[in-house]
Structure formats: C-alpha cells, structure tokens
Amino acid sequence: MERFREIAPGVLVATAEQLTSTSTVVVGEDGGCLLIDPAVSVADLSALAADLSGAGLRPAVGFATHPHWDHVLWSRELGDVPRYAAPAAVRIAETERVGQLAELTKTAPGHDLDLFGHVVALPANATQVPWPGPVVQVVIHNGHAPGHCALFIPHAGVLVAGDMLSDIEIPILDTVEPDPLGDYRTGLDRLAAVSGVRWVVPGHGHVGDAAEFRCRIEADSRYLDQLAAGDLFDDPRCDVQWQRDWHAHQLAVVRGDLP
Ligand SMILES: [Zn+2]
C-alpha cells in the first residue's frame, strides 16, 4: 500500500498494489473525513486506518462508488459510520451479495463479512454527499454497474471516477443489462460534462491531470465506437488476461455472438 498523498488541497489518494486500487479521502471538519472506496486487502485497510489516525483524521462518512466487491469493503478500525452509495447500487449490493462475497473470499480473504457491502442509500435526488465537510457532488449513472457514482470535489477540482476513466483498464461494461453500450456512453457523457476537473482519480490506475482527463474520455469513447462497429480490434490497455477475456466477451455481446 502506497501511503496517502495529497493530490489537491484536502484530497488524499492511496494506491494498493492489488488491482492498483485507489482509495480517496476528503478532509472535513474537526478531523472528520470522507473515505471513498477503501481497498483492498485486510492489511491495506489496516494501513489506511493507521495512516488516517497518524494524520489526525477519522472517517466521518464512507462512500462506495459502486456495488462491486472491491468498493464496498470496511473494517472496524475505520469506525462505525454511515457508508453511502447511490440507491440502485445499494439494491445491487443486496441482491448480488452472494456472488460478490464469492469474489471477495477468492481474491481478498479475511475481511469481516459483517461489515462487507453494508452501504446505505443516498437520500432521493441527492446532489451532494450528506456530510459535514466541503461540497462533494454526486454524478450517478449506469454503465459499469447500476448506480455507479462518481464524486466531484469542486474546491479541489478532483473527480473520483470510480471504475471509469482508467489508464490501465478498458471500459468494463455491465453486459447483463439490456443496453450496456448505451448505458456506458451515457455515463461517459455525464463525466465529460463535469466542468473544472483538474485531477481525475480512477478506481484502478493512476491519477491524471486535466489533459489526461480529456485523453481518457477520448480513449474510452473511441473504444465504445469500435465496440459498436463490431469488428475485431485491440486496445493498448488490454494487456492482462482477464481484460483480454472481458474484451472478447464484450465484443461477442455486441455482435450477438453469444449462444
Ligand atoms: Zn467495478
């Protein structure tokens, strides 16, 4: 676990070795902070908790950008606080719990399962995270997962993009939905419309600046165009086997090649 580093005033990002997962902290009032997507191993979460307390911080609120197993983790050391997610994400965390638990125990065993996936829904029509700290806007959409929620911190110009806008992953579509391509494109458009982005933090990968933010929007948009065309193609980010497999799967889905 690379320790938290401040990428913009009051916004810290730590990166785990496993899955190059990022966790983001927004500093609030009186040492309280908003902790987004703490990940990913038990040791990583312990290190995050120690790092925070060493800096005089404690989570006041948690947030999960989406209901996949590696984004809904928590530990006792992080405290008993509300952990928010978009309403659709909360529903999926409940209905898909068995499958997500299986992924968790296979990939990052040893977590306290009583704390796993227990997210609460943002108030209906919320535009911000309800917490005593700087404004953190929510950008809720589908595409990667139902109720995927990016967070934008205007005062710092930081967009926490969840599992979108990665430099090391292709767009990962939610292929069980009726219109995975359309959903993803709508989500990408929502992120592209956020103005004032100076830093983008992907759920997996590396922090990028404003120019990099635009490059990633373009790269993902190009990927979706190529996918929609249905011809075989490669993406430079596709250099690990699970991504090559998922890329082939996505292509088969849009071509209607699945049995
Ligand atoms: Zn995900």
Side-chain angles (χ1 to χ4, degrees):
M1 166 68 63
E2 181 202 293
R3 294 174 67 88
F4 278 115
R5 68 185 177 92
E6 190 168 37
I7 63 160
V11 181
L12 320 175
V13 175
T15 306
E17 212 168 288
Q18 194 172 5
L19 305 169
T20 323
S21 291
T22 66
S23 301
T24 303
V25 164
V26 184
V27 177
E29 293 168 3
D30 301 326
C33 65
L34 164 63
L35 176 56
I36 305 160
D37 290 353
V40 60
S41 68
V42 172
D44 289 334
L45 262 60
S46 286
L48 289 182
D51 218 4
L52 287 178
S53 77
L57 296 169
R58 56 181 164 71
V61 176
F63 198 93
T65 56
H66 64 290
H68 291 160
W69 71 269
D70 50 329
H71 299 261
V72 290
L73 299 164
W74 202 256
S75 75
R76 302 243 171 246
E77 298 155 279
L78 294 171
D80 183 11
V81 300
R83 298 146 56 193
Y84 290 104
V90 172
R91 282 195 293 278
I92 292 288
E94 288 162 3
T95 56
E96 308 279 319
R97 182 172 174 86
V98 172
Q100 295 298 316
L101 270 172
E103 285 295 322
L104 169 69
T105 45
K106 186 176 70 184
T107 317
H111 283 284
D112 183 342
L113 301 186
D114 287 342
L115 297 176
F116 175 71
H118 288 152
V119 281
V120 295
L122 286 170
N125 305 316
T127 57
Q128 299 180 7
V129 177
W131 83 299
V135 169
V136 177
Q137 298 168 350
V138 299
V139 185
I140 301 171
H141 56 87
N142 298 320
H144 174 68
H148 187 281
C149 184
L151 298 174
F152 182 57
I153 304 125
H155 84 273
V158 174
L159 179 67
V160 180
D163 278 4
M164 306 272 289
L165 303 180
S166 175
D167 57 327
I168 62 167
E169 285 184 356
I170 55 170
I172 305 293
L173 278 55
D174 193 2
T175 56
V176 298
E177 295 296 321
D179 183 16
L181 253 175
D183 287 347
Y184 205 98
R185 202 181 289 281
T186 303
L188 196 58
D189 288 347
R190 295 284 311 280
L191 297 187
V194 176
S195 68
V197 175
R198 296 197 287 279
W199 302 103
V200 59
V201 184
H204 306 281
H206 305 93
V207 175
D209 63 11
E212 179 67 16
F213 168 62
R214 287 291 150 202
C215 284
R216 291 185 195 178
I217 299 253
E218 272 170 40
D220 285 356
S221 188
R222 194 161 54 242
Y223 180 92
L224 297 179
D225 288 345
Q226 289 178 289
L227 196 59
D231 300 323
L232 290 179
F233 69 102
D234 286 324
D235 185 290
R237 294 169 293 187
C238 235
D239 65 351
V240 289
Q241 192 58 44
W242 76 263
Q243 282 200 61
R244 282 195 286 271
D245 293 345
W246 194 258
H247 174 62
H249 165 72
Q250 295 187 148
L251 205 47
V253 168
V254 300
R255 287 158 62 116
D257 286 350
L258 290 182

